[in-house]
């Protein structure tokens, strides 16, 4: 059995995390362009007064897409081990749940 | 190099999952940090539209300015990921260029935020009483109160500070704590930049040091994506909650 | 050359005496430090409780002033929850998790030392409020607007805010560490579903903690800004709703309840199988029930607020979710009972505590279901009935579990056996004492005696029962002193303990008592749940491995370090700075930064 030293595991810097196929700089650039376009779209939509309440789902969808692009490509969740996604998304979904629960408790979704 | 000695040992080791301890730690931390910002955002939303006095978001926000600063932060995420890619390829020169760009873009974002805070705190209201155009609700109130008896214009400072109203309180603390996160990120990246000049300090084998800083940096960026949509764009929208 | 900053301070490679403890990053020593500090806190919280009981022992008493009384019940709750039960659990996490999963230390040994020192800093900050003449006085959940400067001038609340904030840093750092340790440092073959129950409950507790503590961190920041910088978070004249504080506090506070009880459930789940000579009944069900409790802990927080006036819909929703949480809890209780069923039971002291836990925790659980119903809670809210309920679950539950754990693992910690006779006497004294103390509270509570009341008139008819409660609390005091006596005496001169005195089941018993610094000479390979039991009984077939073969010369342990302590000192100074003077806070911040930087550039091991 290979000798197993605790010090090897602690604070180690070198264990490769086995994400082999990293995207190229071109992909990163494309993502950046997409992020900018989506932000631009958010601002354009913002000035469409006729949208009224419709702005809420539009902004929500656009931001979620931006959010997803960054965590999938820039933070490599798309390529990395699923454990990382699990750990992060647990916190993220609970966070979203708490926000909506508090909004509901403070009367955001009451009729009228 | 003591570090090198340590990492030679490390390469033999297998963790249970084959993943690195520090990277798991970083992801758990980010999951936890989601709850931190969620609480702040929830506070902002719960109090949205509940301020008893102005100025309101519509009075102070300048969406074009914030769009530019958002753009700056998004670009810093791109340069961060390029710095990491350069390091993986072994180009220390590319690494330094991109990481310095990230630091500069991050600092620019902080500059925008400082400017914005300063502007809000010194918000100035000018109302042409003879020919009022496009008044916000808050300005309309000031107009009704002050524009009588032949007054031809109204000029006064109506600054927004954390003490002014609920909007000021929730806005400054939320964006201020985000700014604190950005500041820590800038210091971290600056340290990496300086450390890269030390021989063996930043190497492709030790890419994890940069990977972790990058994860933190991108997280700060995604939080801003949410803040920009929820606090700024949606914040100005006064139709909700009814 | 390895540290950029302060290279002149030499790393303490072979410290001796007190420096050995100050610079240690050995999880076992840190565990003992946690345990000792937390137990002292438990005694301080106990003294506070006794003073409260003294004041309530008769009608119209004025043994202490109302001002001090308010401080006492606030500090009693805060101390017991944040300074006693949580860190006592942390002591078990530290000492046992690496041993149970077959590792030589935790994933981040220096971060572990940092957690302890920051916890100690928070402890000192909170207790020192007494010395500075202004202990916090608005109850352990400190409802707004009672905490605002207008109603609560002086520094008491500031001590509370900063103290909890500092303790939060310690708890978060520890939990990050244990999550990574449990995910990533298990011995070969130890899959998740082969982990000991205590490890599982620790894992779930740590996850709850990293998700719940950020909420209170933000709530405390908001409160601090309100007090120090005049913001409006909980300031009703600016349109704020002070109920927001209640929501934020309990979004954190209810998961916190499970953070307190789950480790004790883990301990009990280890003791019962050992002394029943049977595997835990429904191993996977107990784990699943724990996970469901943890998840549902997020869906019930407003049951603390039924009388606030949230309206019929929230009250109904939270009534249903709260009642539902009794299901996984009940499943666990049945599993524990079935574990004992037809087992060959030894009634040793840890086992008595585990059984006592089941009894008193069930009583507390049942009264909990009673006020889970929002309509009946309207009668019980803020009465002694609620006080009875949470003392049954926290003292009768969490602390009984912890006492059981302290006895169970005492031979492992100390290498000595405790006096079984004294232990049994102590158990019965404590068990009877706590029931005399807390059971009558149900009756006076139902009769309308409000919680936190300073005194009461003799005409209310509560005098006799209150006197009885106080006499029960004296029994508890005697039994705790007896416990201390037993522990101290046994540690000094007890019979030497073998590695496995109880014929137990998990890996920590496969090594000597106390364990060597490196824990395992050879990292064990795991084939099943209760690996050690299976090995002893030869259940693993021919491959049945032995623990032996000396490779000691090759074992490298992480080396001691100053920097966790330096960083913690920075936080300690910064904490007082936030209360009294911002320039001092900046000094603290700088010291912390120096600590963190030196730590980052210090390799895990210097070649020596």
């Amino acid at each position: 059995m290979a000798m197993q030293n605790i010090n090897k595991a602690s604070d180690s810097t070198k264990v490769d995390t086995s994400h082999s196929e990293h995207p190229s700089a071109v992909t990163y650039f494309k993502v950046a362009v997409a992020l900018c376009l989506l932000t631009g779209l958010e601002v354009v939509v913002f000035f469409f007064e006729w949208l009224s309440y419709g702005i809420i789902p539009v902004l929500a969808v656009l931001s979620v897409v931006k959010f997803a692009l960054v965590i999938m490509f820039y933070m490599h969740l798309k390529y990395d081990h699923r454990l990382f996604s699990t750990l992060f998304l647990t916190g993220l979904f609970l966070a979203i749940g708490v926000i909506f629960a508090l909004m509901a408790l403070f009367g955001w979704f009451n009729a009228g | 190099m003591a570090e090198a000695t340590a990492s030679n040992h490390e390469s033999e080791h297998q963790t249970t999952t084959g993943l690195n301890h520090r990277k798991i730690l970083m992801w758990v931390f980010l999951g936890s940090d989601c709850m931190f910002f969620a609480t702040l955002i929830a506070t902002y939303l719960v109090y949205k539209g509940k301020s008893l006095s102005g100025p309101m978001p519509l009075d102070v926000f300048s969406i074009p300015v914030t769009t530019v600063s958002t753009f700056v932060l998004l670009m810093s995420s791109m340069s961060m990921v390029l710095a990491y890619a350069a390091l993986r390829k072994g180009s220390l020169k590319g690494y330094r260029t991109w990481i310095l760009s990230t630091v500069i873009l991050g600092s620019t974002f902080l500059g925008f935020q400082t400017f914005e805070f300063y502007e809000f705190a010194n918000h100035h209201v000018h109302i042409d009483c003879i020919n009022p155009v496009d008044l916000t609700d808050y300005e309309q109130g000031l107009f009704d109160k002050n524009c009588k008896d032949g007054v031809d214009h109204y000029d006064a400072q109506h600054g927004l500070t954390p003490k002014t109203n609920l909007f000021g309180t929730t806005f400054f603390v939320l964006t201020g704590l985000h700014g604190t996160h950005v500041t820590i990120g800038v210091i971290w990246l600056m340290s990496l930049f300086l450390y890269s000049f030390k021989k063996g300090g930043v190497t492709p084998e030790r890419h994890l040091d940069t990977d972790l800083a990058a994860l933190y940096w991108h997280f700060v960026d995604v939080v801003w994506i949410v803040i920009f949509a929820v606090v700024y764009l949606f914040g100005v929208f006064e139709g909700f909650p009814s | 050359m390895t540290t950029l900053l302060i290279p002149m301070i030499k790393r303490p490679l072979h410290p001796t005496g007190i420096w050995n403890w100050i610079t240690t990053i050995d999880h076992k020593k840190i565990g003992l430090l946690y345990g000792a500090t937390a137990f002292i806190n438990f005694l301080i919280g106990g003294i506070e409780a006794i003073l409260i009981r003294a004041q309530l022992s008769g009608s119209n008493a004025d043994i202490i002033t109302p001002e001090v009384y308010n401080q006492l019940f606030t500090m009693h709750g805060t101390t017991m929850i944040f300074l006693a039960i949580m860190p006592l659990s942390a002591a078990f996490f530290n000492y046992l998790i690496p041993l149970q999963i077959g590792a030589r230390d935790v994933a981040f040994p220096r971060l572990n030392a940092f957690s302890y020192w920051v916890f100690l800093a928070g402890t000192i900050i909170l207790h020192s409020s007494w010395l500075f003449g202004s202990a916090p006085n608005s109850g352990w959940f400190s409802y707004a607007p009672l905490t605002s400067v207008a109603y609560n001038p002086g520094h008491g609340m500031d001590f509370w805010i900063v103290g909890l904030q500092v303790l939060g840093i310690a708890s978060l750092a520890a939990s990050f560490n244990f999550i990574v340790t449990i995910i990533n440092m298990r011995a070969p073959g130890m899959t998740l579903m082969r982990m000991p129950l205590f490890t599982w409950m620790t894992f779930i507790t740590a996850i709850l903690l990293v998700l719940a503590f950020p909420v209170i961190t933000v709530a405390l920041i908001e409160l601090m800004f309100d007090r120090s910088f005049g913001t409006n978070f909980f300031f009703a004249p600016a349109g704020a709703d002070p109920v927001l504080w209640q929501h934020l506090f309990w979004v954190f506070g209810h998961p916190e309840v499970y953070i307190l009880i789950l480790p004790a459930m883990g301990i009990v789940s280890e003791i019962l199988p050992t002394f029943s000579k049977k595997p835990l009944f429904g191993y996977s069900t107990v784990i699943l029930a724990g996970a469901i409790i943890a998840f549902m802990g997020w869906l019930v927080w407003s049951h603390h607020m039924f009388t606030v006036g949230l309206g019929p819909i929230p009250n109904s929703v939270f009534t249903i979710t709260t009642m539902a949480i009794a299901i996984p809890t009940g499943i666990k209780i049945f599993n524990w009972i079935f574990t004992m069923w037809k087992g060959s039971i030894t009634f040793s002291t840890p086992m008595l505590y585990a059984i006592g836990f089941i009894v008193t925790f069930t009583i507390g659980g049942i009264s909990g279901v009673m006020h889970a119903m929002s309509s009946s809670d309207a009668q019980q809210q803020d009465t002694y009935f609620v006080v009875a309920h949470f003392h049954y679950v926290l003292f009768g539950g969490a602390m009984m579990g912890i006492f059981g754990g302290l006895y169970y693992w005492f031979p492992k910690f100390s290498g000595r056996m405790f006096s079984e006779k004294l232990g049994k006497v102590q158990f019965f004294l404590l068990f009877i004492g706590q029931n005399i103390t807390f059971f009558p509270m149900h009756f006076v509570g139902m009769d309308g005696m409000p919680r936190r009341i300073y005194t009461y008139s003799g005409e209310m008819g509560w005098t006799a029962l209150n006197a009885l409660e106080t006499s029960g609390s004296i029994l508890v005091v005697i039994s705790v002193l007896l416990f201390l006596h037993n522990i101290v005496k046994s540690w000094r001169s007890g019979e030497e303990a073998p590695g496995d005195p109880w014929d137990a089941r998990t890996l920590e018993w496969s090594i000597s008592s106390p364990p060597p610094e490196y824990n395992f000479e050879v990292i064990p390979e795991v084939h099943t749940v209760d690996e050690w039991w299976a090995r002893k009984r030869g259940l693993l077939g021919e491959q049945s491995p032995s623990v032996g073969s000396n490779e000691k010369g090759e074992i490298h342990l992480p080396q001691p370090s100053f920097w966790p302590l330096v960083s913690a000192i920075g936080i300690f100074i910064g904490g007082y700075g936030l209360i009294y003077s911002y320039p001092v806070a900046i000094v603290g911040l700088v010291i912390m930064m120096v600590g963190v930087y030196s730590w980052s550039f210090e390799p895990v091991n210097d070649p020596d």
Side-chain angles (χ1 to χ4, degrees), chain C residues 531-548:
Chain C
E531 171 78 13
W532 174 236
W533 175 268
R535 286 188 188 192
K536 283 188 292 188
R537 296 291 185 280
L539 302 178
L540 298 176
E542 281 177 21
Q543 37 156 356
S544 197
S546 63
V547 182

Side-chain angles (χ1 to χ4, degrees), chain B residues 1-2 15-17 19 21-22 24-25 28 32 35-36 39-40 43 47 52 163 165-166 169 173 187 191 195, chain C residues 1-2 108 176 183-186 210-211 214-215 218 222 229-233 237-241 244 597 601:
Chain B
M1 277 309 302
T15 60
T16 310
T17 56
L19 305 169
H21 287 341
R22 290 198 293 159
I24 298 177
L25 176 82
V28 179
S32 171
M35 289 299 290
F36 181 89
T39 313
L40 287 163
T43 305
Y47 284 155
L52 298 183
K163 297 179 185 185
N165 54 17
L166 284 174
T169 294
V173 174
I187 294 171
S191 308
Y195 200 46
Chain C
M1 79 187 204
T2 48
F108 303 96
F176 290 137
I183 289 178
N184 226 18
M185 291 195 65
R186 282 167 283 141
V210 300
L211 296 171
V215 180
V218 168
E222 293 178 350
F229 306 114
T231 53
N232 305 309
F233 285 108
D241 190 346
L244 179 66
Y597 262 89
F601 290 112

Side-chain angles (χ1 to χ4, degrees), chain A residues 73-87:
Chain A
F73 291 94
Y74 285 0
M75 297 168 91
H76 303 129
L77 278 184
K78 188 167 182 277
Y79 310 96
D80 256 346
H81 197 282
R82 260 183 50 201
L83 175 70
F84 298 138
S85 305
T86 311
L87 293 172

